[in-house]
Amino acid sequence: MPSIRAPATKKATTLTVAVKCRPLTEKERGRDIVRVNNNKEVVVLDPDLSKDYLDRIQNRTKERRYTFDYAFAPDSKNADVYERSISSTISGVVHGLNATVFAYGSTGSGKTYTMVGTEGDPGLMVLSLHTIFDFIKNDKSSDVFEVTCSYLEVYNEVIYDLLEKSSGHLELREDPEQGIIVAGLRCIKVNSADKILELLNVGNSRRKTDNTDANETSSRSHAVLEITVLRKQKRKYRSQVIRGKLALVDLAGSERASETNNGGQKLRDGANINRSLLALANCINALGKQHKKGLAYVPYRNSKLTRILKVGLSGNSQTVMIATISPADNQYHHTVNTLKYADRAKEIKTHIQKNIGTVDTHVSDYQRMIDSLQTEVSQLKTQLAEKETQLNTKPTERPVDDELSWLNTLSQETSENVQERINLQKAVFELEETNLRNRTELQHLDDGIAKQQAIENDGTVVQALLLRRQLVLDNIRDNDETGVIYQKEIEANEKRRCQLQEMIDEAISNNANKTYLRILSQYRLLGMTNTELQFEMAMRDQVIHNQRETQRNLWKLLMGLGLDEKQLLKLAAKQGITIEDWTMTPQLGLKDSRKTGHERSSHVPQSYANPSRTPPQNQEYGDSAHTYCREEHHSSYYFMSHNSPSTYMRLTRSSENWLGHGPSYSQKDEWNKISPGGTSCSEDPLRGQMMNRNSPTTPVNCKSIFPQPSVINVSRAKTNLSQAGSSPV
Ligand SMILES: Nc1ncnc2c1ncn2[C@@H]1O[C@H](COP(=O)(O)OP(=O)(O)OP(=O)(O)O)[C@@H](O)[C@H]1O
């Protein structure tokens, strides 16, 4: 019997921001200039004591005041921070929700102290782990839990596994289900908090730290501890798996070269740390701006750190930012800077939903292909490394030093060139996707303005719409400017690629180290094929996304009919359909950490089956009018407006398919697409593929049937890609 699953509810939530001020350390002889009021307000006094009364009342003081969800004075313990600001978030992880906690602040402000802590004052990582295992221990259901953990660091834009003794460089990969993941990262099964703490200690001892003027044990890398809780539930028809993830992030501290007195490697580390923190700050800026201005492009791709934090910043995650500050007067600028970003982060919205899969959920074919390609790429990399060692050790084969270093440079540059290309190309697609949405909104606004002008007397609504229109136009312009920069970078990358290819070709024809060069060529080629496949997958993601959206809409429609649960189940049974997860659907079981006391129990109602209850609101299903949940199609660049009239068209058509009537060809042109080869096609929601209309079991190449603007983008991208990767170098 076919079955449909009630959609997992989405809940829009804002980032929780807590500020923690550390005590003055013994070494610091300065003045304490930070005051915390009512556990919410942070006041930073003007460090310049010489300012007189007149300056102050004429507002010439540099005193600053900010309000946050929570603020903690220097005498607070880590346990206070934990209890008040994140404990409720952590408990959601056992119920299939994602959570991210990250500490942000300048060097020496207390991030590591807050996240890791000491024996007498255990940090948030330690306290969270205890909560998770306590929950599991006290769980009375028959569910089976499996907890795994990974621990990585990003140092100088390279990812290392902290749970591996001598970890190599790890790569980031985009997974349609899980978002960004780190390929090859070790995930260890654990059954107690103590075991994870042991691993945490081992990992911390491997972390890159250094003694700087600002901090004796300054972390020079960003560390991410990720705990995954799998909960297997036996259901009537099949097993269900709920997966919750908790990411705890200890960032490296921003610093000023002039203050740290660093030189050489330390200076370079500092520059890299600042670069990735700047990328994070830019993302926070853009996300904060989005709240006011709609769809601004968020440059996640500018650093590994921001790509790793992407889900925590805007996707399916309940996120807490702990901004750490020092109370010392000589840290005034750092403190105010941190507070400014924290203030902006308050505006960031994420969308949380349970991660539910079934045991028989199969990995898509595309994903398998990409996985195997990536394994091949990583094997080739190992071969390359081995070859390099041989070249170093075998005296008979050893080429002259010049050749060796030339080959090393070539290999390094080839690898960087491929990675850069992949990143740039995807960034351009994401940018185009953002602007496509902006243009759709612009179109709606123009229609709205025209309609409103015809009926309105005082023009207030028109004014508001015009204001919004201007903001959207600004966004489009900003994004276009960024796009031009990316295009130039792609051209430069392409030029470099040609140069590298020529160098390798020449070397092969000159009989240089052939095997090595062939491996290098192969590596390049596979890197590019990999990119192509990822794009194909992005298209597929979009089809899946649209299916989900249609299902969501169908569900909404069902709920809106006012039938009770029994009637609906009966109706479904008549059609031979089982409805799964009925009671679980509207329940996220999550508290809004921003509220306190009795206000906190903002649960979504248990069931909408009772007609007297409120039908689902937009927000609970992801604000369908203006909120676009990127986690569902994070790598996609096709967009169909959520609030356009076509939503209903899609629903009608798809519902017919769902009920087994087969596709209807009488719908609008939008759904009657013609591939360039002249084949008419329609989308099969069950297969998630476009099918040839004349032969409904024959899939049609997806890229040919999407709406016009996207088709243009893809062909251009495809051309670029084939130019870049079709011929082995
Ligand atoms: N709440 C606190 N109570 C007591 N000491 C603290 C507290 N927070 C931080 N410290 C002390 O301040 C110093 C700097 O803290 P920490 O190493 O955690 O800073 P950080 O922000 O992680 O720095 P970096 O970015 O350089 O790694 C340490 O000596 C730490 O013990």
Side-chain angles (χ1 to χ4, degrees):
M1 186 189 267
S3 65
I4 57 169
R5 181 190 293 279
T9 43
K10 269 184 201 160
K11 186 169 185 280
T13 181
T14 34
L15 215 87
T16 300
V17 181
V19 171
K20 187 181 180 227
C21 180
R22 71 159 167 78
L24 277 177
T25 59
E26 279 171 19
K27 257 174 86 182
E28 282 168 330
R29 271 183 238 108
R31 195 164 66 93
D32 172 350
I33 56 161
V34 176
R35 304 286 176 269
V36 175
N37 302 325
N38 306 322
N39 298 323
K40 280 189 182 293
E41 190 187 52
V42 181
V43 183
V44 190
L45 305 175
D46 191 330
D48 184 358
L49 272 177
S50 65
K51 290 255 170 77
D52 60 16
Y53 176 73
L54 205 63
D55 280 331
R56 264 177 270 144
I57 59 163
Q58 288 182 348
N59 214 10
R60 287 203 295 265
T61 167
K62 280 162 59 186
E63 185 175 303
R64 295 285 178 270
R65 226 166 252 269
Y66 301 90
T67 308
F68 298 97
D69 296 301
Y70 307 96
F72 297 91
D75 59 350
S76 305
K77 293 277 174 216
N78 283 328
D80 300 327
V81 180
Y82 180 76
E83 266 316 308
R84 293 206 350 244
S85 55
I86 66 167
S87 61
S88 60
T89 303
I90 304 298
S91 53
V93 174
V94 193
H95 295 106
L97 300 175
N98 292 342
T100 307
V101 179
F102 68 95
Y104 179 92
S106 61
T107 181
S109 60
K111 294 178 297 297
T112 307
Y113 189 95
T114 307
M115 294 308 285
V116 182
T118 60
E119 214 170 317
D121 190 7
L124 304 185
M125 287 183 173
V126 182
L127 297 167
S128 315
L129 293 172
H130 281 299
T131 304
I132 289 179
F133 281 99
D134 283 351
F135 261 106
I136 294 176
K137 209 167 88 191
N138 297 327
D139 186 79
K140 298 277 183 292
S141 68
S142 58
D143 298 350
V144 179
F145 290 91
E146 188 183 301
V147 183
T148 50
C149 110
S150 66
Y151 197 24
L152 64 84
E153 72 173 342
V154 187
Y155 172 67
N156 278 339
E157 279 300 282
V158 179
I159 302 170
Y160 297 93
D161 192 339
L162 286 172
L163 300 183
E164 278 288 346
K165 201 169 172 196
S166 40
S167 154
H169 299 187
L170 301 178
E171 297 299 335
L172 287 174
R173 183 155 76 70
E174 280 170 48
D175 181 285
E177 290 291 324
Q178 300 176 54
I180 306 273
I181 58 168
V182 180
L185 182 68
R186 213 171 148 206
C187 272
I188 299 182
K189 223 178 182 174
V190 278
N191 44 28
S192 71
D194 291 341
K195 174 72 185 163
I196 302 191
L197 294 177
E198 206 180 285
L199 294 172
L200 194 64
N201 284 335
V202 173
N204 282 338
S205 66
R206 292 186 184 133
R207 223 180 134 182
K208 275 108 192 151
T209 56
D210 224 325
N211 179 340
T212 68
D213 274 10
N215 185 1
E216 265 172 36
T217 48
S218 176
S219 313
R220 314 304 282 162
S221 65
H222 311 294
V224 183
L225 174 70
E226 198 166 88
I227 317 289
T228 306
V229 181
L230 279 186
R231 183 179 188 148
K232 292 178 189 160
Q233 300 174 314
K234 275 256 172 283
R235 287 285 166 131
K236 212 169 169 188
Y237 298 102
R238 52 179 160 171
S239 298
Q240 175 171 281
V241 180
I242 293 180
R243 192 189 61 236
K245 243 193 218 176
L246 168 66
L248 296 147
V249 188
D250 177 18
L251 298 174
S254 57
E255 58 197 27
R256 288 182 178 181
S258 56
E259 284 172 19
T260 49
N261 238 345
N262 289 341
Q265 184 59 36
K266 277 192 210 176
L267 186 68
R268 274 193 297 281
D269 286 357
N272 268 318
I273 292 170
N274 285 344
R275 208 177 63 180
S276 55
L277 288 173
L278 179 69
L280 176 62
N282 284 338
C283 288
I284 292 177
N285 258 339
L287 286 162
K289 199 163 95 176
Q290 245 173 15
H291 177 66
K292 297 194 184 88
K293 283 182 69 176
L295 280 168
Y297 172 68
V298 185
Y300 291 109
R301 292 200 174 275
N302 287 356
S303 82
K304 296 237 162 88
L305 174 69
T306 45
R307 289 175 71 195
I308 290 173
L309 287 183
K310 183 176 173 186
V311 168
L313 285 172
S314 65
N316 176 14
S317 173
Q318 172 84 356
T319 302
V320 184
M321 170 184 189
I322 312 277
T324 56
I325 53 171
S326 151
D329 54 356
N330 64 355
Q331 295 294 305
Y332 174 86
H333 289 290
H334 286 306
T335 301
V336 168
N337 242 338
T338 302
L339 293 178
K340 262 192 212 159
Y341 281 113
D343 198 47
R344 220 158 285 162
K346 288 191 307 195
E347 312 282 350
I348 297 175
K349 273 199 161 51
T350 57
H351 301 88
I352 35 171
Q353 72 179 92
K354 283 190 181 185
N355 304 307
I356 306 166
T358 42
V359 175
D360 57 358
T361 301
H362 57 269
V363 183
S364 75
D365 299 342
Y366 278 102
Q367 191 55 56
R368 262 206 303 276
M369 283 165 78
I370 289 173
D371 279 350
S372 81
L373 270 165
Q374 278 180 335
T375 313
E376 226 173 316
V377 167
S378 107
Q379 278 166 357
L380 282 164
K381 275 185 181 174
T382 318
Q383 283 178 33
L384 270 172
E386 274 167 14
K387 192 75 196 166
E388 277 179 41
T389 330
Q390 279 172 19
L391 287 172
N392 275 320
T393 50
K394 285 190 184 169
T396 42
E397 283 183 24
R398 188 187 167 122
V400 285
D401 280 353
D402 271 1
E403 191 188 340
L404 184 60
S405 75
W406 178 83
L407 280 172
N408 279 338
T409 315
L410 198 61
S411 136
Q412 181 70 25
E413 285 202 24
T414 305
S415 165
E416 279 169 15
N417 182 264
V418 173
Q419 289 304 324
E420 187 187 51
R421 176 59 167 233
I422 292 172
N423 254 342
L424 282 168
Q425 203 79 67
K426 284 191 177 171
V428 169
F429 283 140
E430 284 173 3
L431 201 67
E432 283 173 353
E433 180 197 307
T434 312
N435 258 0
L436 206 57
R437 296 185 201 187
N438 276 322
R439 292 207 166 89
T440 309
E441 187 180 347
L442 200 65
Q443 185 65 52
H444 289 308
L445 283 168
D446 284 343
D447 293 350
I449 291 168
K451 267 190 208 146
Q452 206 60 37
Q453 272 168 342
I455 54 170
E456 208 181 40
N457 299 328
D458 62 356
T460 43
V461 177
V462 173
Q463 275 309 315
L465 291 175
L466 284 171
L467 205 68
R468 173 81 196 164
R469 188 181 189 280
Q470 190 53 48
L471 290 175
V472 176
L473 273 176
D474 288 350
N475 267 346
I476 293 177
R477 197 200 46 233
D478 288 355
N479 291 345
D480 281 344
E481 280 170 11
T482 313
V484 171
I485 297 171
Y486 281 148
Q487 282 303 344
K488 279 193 185 141
E489 285 178 24
I490 287 177
E491 278 162 28
N493 174 285
E494 174 61 11
K495 210 166 145 190
R496 185 67 195 139
R497 185 195 71 79
C498 293
Q499 286 169 352
L500 288 169
Q501 183 170 337
E502 272 169 26
M503 282 158 79
I504 296 173
D505 284 347
E506 199 184 315
I508 290 178
S509 61
N510 287 345
N511 246 351
N513 200 308
K514 269 189 177 165
T515 327
Y516 184 91
L517 290 161
R518 289 230 166 85
I519 294 173
L520 206 58
S521 310
Q522 203 62 15
Y523 167 53
R524 240 197 84 71
L525 177 68
L526 284 172
M528 284 323 207
T529 320
N530 193 353
T531 322
E532 290 224 38
L533 279 168
Q534 288 199 25
F535 288 139
E536 301 256 2
M537 199 168 70
M539 292 178 221
R540 201 183 152 102
D541 278 357
Q542 185 61 50
V543 175
I544 293 168
H545 168 74
N546 290 341
Q547 268 183 264
R548 284 190 185 144
E549 198 53 40
T550 310
Q551 198 191 1
R552 232 182 262 283
N553 286 334
L554 249 179
W555 199 256
K556 271 191 200 170
L557 196 72
L558 270 179
M559 294 298 121
L561 287 176
L563 300 174
D564 67 18
E565 188 174 329
K566 234 178 170 177
Q567 288 171 309
L568 274 176
L569 288 172
K570 217 167 134 188
L571 209 66
K574 253 192 192 169
Q575 302 290 332
I577 295 168
T578 317
I579 301 182
E580 287 179 24
D581 305 332
W582 175 269
T583 48
M584 182 211 69
T585 307
Q587 176 69 283
L588 271 175
L590 192 109
K591 288 173 182 174
D592 184 344
S593 56
R594 201 165 279 259
K595 293 178 182 168
T596 51
H598 64 278
E599 288 175 74
R600 279 183 162 210
S601 51
S602 59
H603 286 190
V604 183
Q606 264 287 347
S607 162
Y608 302 106
N610 180 347
S612 64
R613 290 192 185 171
T614 336
Q617 297 299 308
N618 271 349
Q619 187 198 25
E620 285 146 10
Y621 285 89
D623 182 351
S624 69
H626 288 293
T627 308
Y628 307 102
C629 293
R630 298 183 64 82
E631 84 279 0
E632 275 191 7
H633 58 290
H634 52 86
S635 54
S636 311
Y637 37 91
Y638 294 106
F639 171 72
M640 292 174 185
S641 164
H642 288 210
N643 55 350
S644 69
S646 61
T647 307
Y648 187 70
M649 293 301 294
R650 258 179 279 163
L651 177 67
T652 319
R653 175 188 164 278
S654 301
S655 68
E656 284 169 3
N657 274 358
W658 241 303
L659 294 172
H661 294 180
S664 155
Y665 305 127
S666 59
Q667 304 298 339
K668 274 196 169 173
D669 285 352
E670 186 186 354
W671 295 106
N672 296 329
K673 295 164 184 122
I674 309 291
S675 74
T679 323
S680 328
C681 11
S682 62
E683 186 185 352
D684 179 340
L686 294 176
R687 289 167 193 258
Q689 239 175 339
M690 285 296 189
M691 311 304 285
N692 185 332
R693 202 201 293 166
N694 301 325
S695 163
T697 49
T698 315
V700 177
N701 187 358
C702 287
K703 55 182 181 278
S704 59
I705 36 84
F706 281 93
Q708 269 313 307
S710 309
V711 173
I712 294 165
N713 294 343
V714 174
S715 352
R716 196 168 78 217
K718 285 275 171 191
T719 318
N720 287 343
L721 279 170
S722 55
Q723 278 168 2
S726 58
S727 58
V729 285

